[in-house]
Amino acid sequence: MKRVLRKTPLSDKEGYMVDGPRIGALEAGGTKMVLAIGTREGKIFEREVMPTTEPAGIVSKMIAWFAEREIDALGVGAFGPTCVNPELPDYGKILSTPKQGWVNYDFLGALRAGLGVPIGYDTDVNAACLGEALFGSARGLKNVVYLTVGTGIGAGVLLGGKLLHGMLHPEAGHIPIEREKDDPLAMSVCQYHVSCLEGLASGPSIEKRWGLPASELDEKQEVWELEATYLAKALAVYVLCYSPQRIILGGGVMKQTQLFPLIRQKLLENLNGYINTAELSAIDSYVVSDGCSGNQGILGALALGLQSLDS
């Protein structure tokens, strides 16, 4: 049956009326859920934030919020690991996670049953990557890596204009990274790996290593030299494996903007002239900060919702 879209237009804060489908967007993070309503052009009209609790306490509230606003489709960027392959029986389920009550939870199935609208589903970092490609620092590019460096480290990858999927989604935040010999951190903060990117370069690893959160270490050059060393090692791997046209770095740790020139320099040193491209020659515009004012995740989720509606 062909869906009949509502005709009641949306109204923004300035009073302008916009016709077209009403798209819900859900950025489902480990600590908070961001819900929004927007349009095909990426205009966000309403937003709500709810703390992430066990599914029994939060999912019904989110369904009610979107149902009350009569959305025509929903896009979801979910924390992982989660199954993003529609051909697998676990599609839309949250997989192994320390989050209470979420292991093997059929997140997509619950949203579909509660809302009865088309739903686009992917990881939160893949959604953020898509948001940057459509509305942010990688606008118009089809091959992009987005890395968020904060409480954890996650990566979204867009290749040929499509978000990368395979056996699972990219878990490039956990690639093995050789620990520096003079690193004062005795043990990785990752519970799975003794020497991975997240375990050595995430916000918690910085705090454990230096005794203070990243926001209080601005003037400590040795902090950012080491952090840039680890991040540049990872970026070299992404360059060699994904060949992105641009790399975007976001997340709380990357608010330390002194990191960017250090990372760019160390990335070129790691590549050591092996690759010569116009993009790498313009390194300042190749490794860049996010361009959506923190909205890349919700904008990417909005795009996922539109894709589900159009298909």
Side-chain angles (χ1 to χ4, degrees):
M1 182 185 300
K2 184 177 180 180
R3 286 185 55 79
V4 179
L5 302 182
R6 105 184 17 73
K7 301 301 181 182
T8 304
L10 287 165
S11 175
D12 68 10
K13 292 180 180 179
E14 288 76 32
Y16 294 103
M17 306 301 286
V18 181
D19 290 311
R22 184 171 303 190
I23 309 299
L26 172 58
E27 186 179 7
T31 58
K32 65 180 180 180
M33 302 283 184
V34 182
L35 298 75
I37 306 295
T39 67
R40 186 176 297 276
E41 295 76 24
K43 179 76 172 179
I44 301 297
F45 288 87
E46 191 174 357
R47 185 190 303 256
E48 182 80 19
V49 178
M50 301 179 183
T52 301
T53 61
E54 293 188 33
I58 187 66
V59 173
S60 61
K61 292 180 182 178
M62 295 191 295
I63 288 172
W65 192 89
F66 285 118
E68 182 180 345
R69 286 148 183 84
E70 299 182 320
I71 59 172
D72 296 300
L74 175 66
V76 181
F79 66 85
T82 184
C83 182
V84 293
N85 186 342
E87 298 179 2
L88 295 180
D90 284 340
Y91 176 51
K93 289 185 178 180
I94 304 296
L95 305 176
S96 60
T97 177
K99 296 176 179 61
Q100 188 71 28
W102 287 92
V103 177
N104 294 322
Y105 179 72
D106 189 1
F107 194 19
L108 177 58
L111 293 171
R112 280 177 167 170
L115 291 169
V117 299
I119 300 178
Y121 187 86
D122 215 304
T123 69
D124 49 358
V125 283
N126 256 355
C129 184
L130 182 61
E132 288 289 341
L134 293 175
F135 304 105
S137 293
R139 186 179 302 215
L141 300 180
K142 294 185 177 181
N143 302 281
V144 180
V145 170
Y146 171 82
L147 191 72
T148 179
V149 186
T151 304
I153 297 182
V157 181
L158 186 79
L159 295 179
K162 295 183 178 180
L163 293 170
L164 180 61
H165 299 152
M167 175 181 67
L168 195 64
H169 46 81
E171 282 288 355
H174 285 269
I175 60 172
I177 293 291
E178 184 180 1
R179 183 176 174 274
E180 292 292 292
K181 294 179 181 179
D182 59 350
D183 187 344
L185 182 64
M187 184 178 295
S188 162
V189 300
C190 176
Q191 62 178 310
Y192 296 100
H193 308 118
V194 297
S195 186
C196 73
L197 181 63
E198 180 170 297
L200 296 175
S202 63
S205 74
I206 294 173
E207 184 167 0
K208 186 175 181 180
R209 179 183 290 118
W210 304 106
L212 291 170
S215 59
E216 297 180 31
L217 294 164
D218 304 46
E219 305 302 322
K220 299 287 187 180
Q221 182 65 16
E222 64 270 26
V223 173
W224 309 115
E225 284 285 347
L226 184 59
E227 180 72 5
T229 295
Y230 286 136
L231 291 174
K233 286 181 178 182
L235 265 55
V237 174
Y238 305 154
V239 169
L240 294 167
C241 290
Y242 298 134
S243 196
Q245 295 167 285
R246 188 163 296 158
I247 297 174
I248 301 167
L249 303 179
V253 171
M254 296 312 305
K255 295 185 185 300
Q256 300 288 335
T257 56
Q258 69 270 31
L259 273 170
F260 282 91
L262 294 172
I263 292 169
R264 292 167 184 144
Q265 176 189 345
K266 291 175 185 290
L267 171 59
L268 293 177
E269 291 172 357
N270 288 339
L271 295 174
N272 199 31
Y274 179 68
I275 298 176
N276 293 289
T277 65
E279 289 86 353
L280 290 173
S281 296
I283 191 68
D284 288 354
S285 59
Y286 182 67
V287 178
V288 300
S289 61
D290 53 59
C292 294
S293 301
N295 292 318
Q296 57 270 11
I298 206 69
L299 288 170
L302 184 66
L304 290 171
L306 283 165
Q307 289 175 3
S308 72
L309 184 67
D310 291 341
S311 63

